[in-house]
Amino acid sequence: MISYKYSALSRDGAKVNGVVEAIDEIHAVEKIKEKCPIVLDINEVKTGGVYDILNLEIGKKVDVKALSVMCSQFSIILSAGTPINTTLAMIASQTEDKKLKKMLENATEDVNHGSTVEQAFRKNYNGLPEVFLETIRAGEMSGSLAQAFENMHVYFDKSFKNKQKIKSVTSYPIFVGVIAVIVVIVIMVMVVPTLTSVFSELGGDLPWMTQILIDVSEWFGKYWLILLGVLAGLFVLFKALTSGEEGAKRKGEMLLKLPIVGNINTLSAAQEFANTMSTLLDAGLTVGEALRVTAKCLTNPAISREVYAMAEKVETGTSLSEVMSKSEYLPQVLKEMSGVGEKSGELVQTLRTIGEYYSNEADFAIKSALDKLEPAMLVVLAIFAGYIVIAIYLPMFTMYSLL
């Protein structure tokens, strides 16, 4: 999703400034006109490189675990028949997360003055997920707010557990990689130069393996700043090429085409789509509305844009199965099962089932990739360490003859 800054005139003629997220500028204008009929100015919020630093908001995203617990509390207390304003005040007094606590306290005042819960949440915390806000809005409209919070508790609890699984399986390779980089730096910066001075004092010809190691160490010692500058330049170039609407789409397509990583991205997007759609449809949103919100929640920009386009076609009368059948990125099983669920009238349950399936598939794909990565890393490290040991020990025989 792309962020746009805008200036507009509300229905009462007041000038309004704000930020809206949309797939492109046309959709951004449509969203603005829902509240403000006249759009005076709209500009894309620059991202990438220095703009990411200038526009950085510390701690903007909500803690998913804390949000899941909060939703569970709302569901239980509201199911007991407690009024929403009393529930807000009760949970605000119990919440330990400072950002959520402040939001709930401010939301309590807004609800007491006639605001809806969704409007109060949206106003007082701009880091809340769109799926949460839209589900709460639908729950208020249908009179099933307690069930909406229960659905959100299940959704965010599952999301948190999935993230924890990924962290647990990726922590070891990351740790090994960091240690390997530190060891290489220490050897090249401290050990090799010391050995070089010893060898040069003793004289004699060095084995080619040792000479290569010394040459590489000296090169890094002389040109490490240039190397660092080149890496920084490549990073800035990459951010520039992947910023903006088209850049984000290019990045998303690239991730989907990469070996191994592409399959993991596709499986993750499938489970995101199925889980989010089932939650939103169960809350009472139409298929078109659910697709629009789901598009905002998808991690991959290319798939997000495609799903947003599906929403437009569904709202003009095309069936979900028909628009999904033309998808370029979503897996075939997801498309076929969604069509079966739509025809049978069990779309929500079908999406939940297929969401569980793709969650397990994504977990297996990540674990399988890491199971192959770990021995590969160890082999590379062993080769590198063996080369250094041989390069250091070979001159020892020459040193003994020279002593």
Side-chain angles (χ1 to χ4, degrees), residues 214-358:
I214 291 172
D215 291 342
V216 171
S217 176
E218 290 177 348
W219 189 90
F220 274 103
K222 290 179 181 178
Y223 303 110
W224 69 272
L225 276 175
I226 296 175
L227 179 63
L228 191 62
V230 170
L231 292 175
L234 290 173
F235 176 76
V236 172
L237 178 62
F238 175 77
K239 294 294 287 183
L241 291 174
T242 55
S243 63
E245 180 185 345
E246 289 302 319
K249 186 183 178 217
R250 280 195 299 268
K251 180 181 177 182
E253 290 174 340
M254 178 188 70
L255 289 172
L256 291 170
K257 292 176 182 177
L258 290 173
I260 302 176
V261 175
N263 180 50
I264 293 173
N265 264 267
T266 301
L267 294 173
S268 297
Q271 66 94 5
E272 286 176 352
F273 177 90
N275 289 333
T276 307
M277 281 289 292
S278 63
T279 301
L280 292 169
L281 291 172
D282 192 40
L285 271 70
T286 64
V287 174
E289 290 173 334
L291 283 169
R292 287 183 184 275
V293 177
T294 300
K296 299 176 184 178
C297 300
L298 294 175
T299 306
N300 189 285
I303 300 179
S304 174
R305 187 170 178 176
E306 185 180 59
V307 172
Y308 200 94
M310 290 180 192
E312 296 179 333
K313 293 177 182 177
V314 167
E315 289 173 345
T316 60
T318 310
S319 67
L320 176 64
S321 58
E322 186 176 347
V323 297
M324 286 189 68
S325 66
K326 298 176 182 177
S327 169
E328 183 180 352
Y329 306 116
L330 293 176
Q332 189 63 31
V333 174
L334 174 63
K335 294 187 282 188
E336 292 177 358
M337 290 300 295
S338 297
V340 171
E342 185 180 33
K343 291 175 184 177
S344 65
E346 297 290 335
L347 183 56
V348 173
Q349 187 56 45
T350 302
L351 286 171
R352 280 179 181 161
T353 303
I354 201 69
E356 287 291 335
Y357 167 76
Y358 277 112

Side-chain angles (χ1 to χ4, degrees), residues 204-220:
D205 294 330
L206 294 174
W208 64 270
M209 291 183 69
T210 309
Q211 190 60 53
I212 290 174
L213 185 65
I214 291 172
D215 291 342
V216 171
S217 176
E218 290 177 348
W219 189 90
F220 274 103

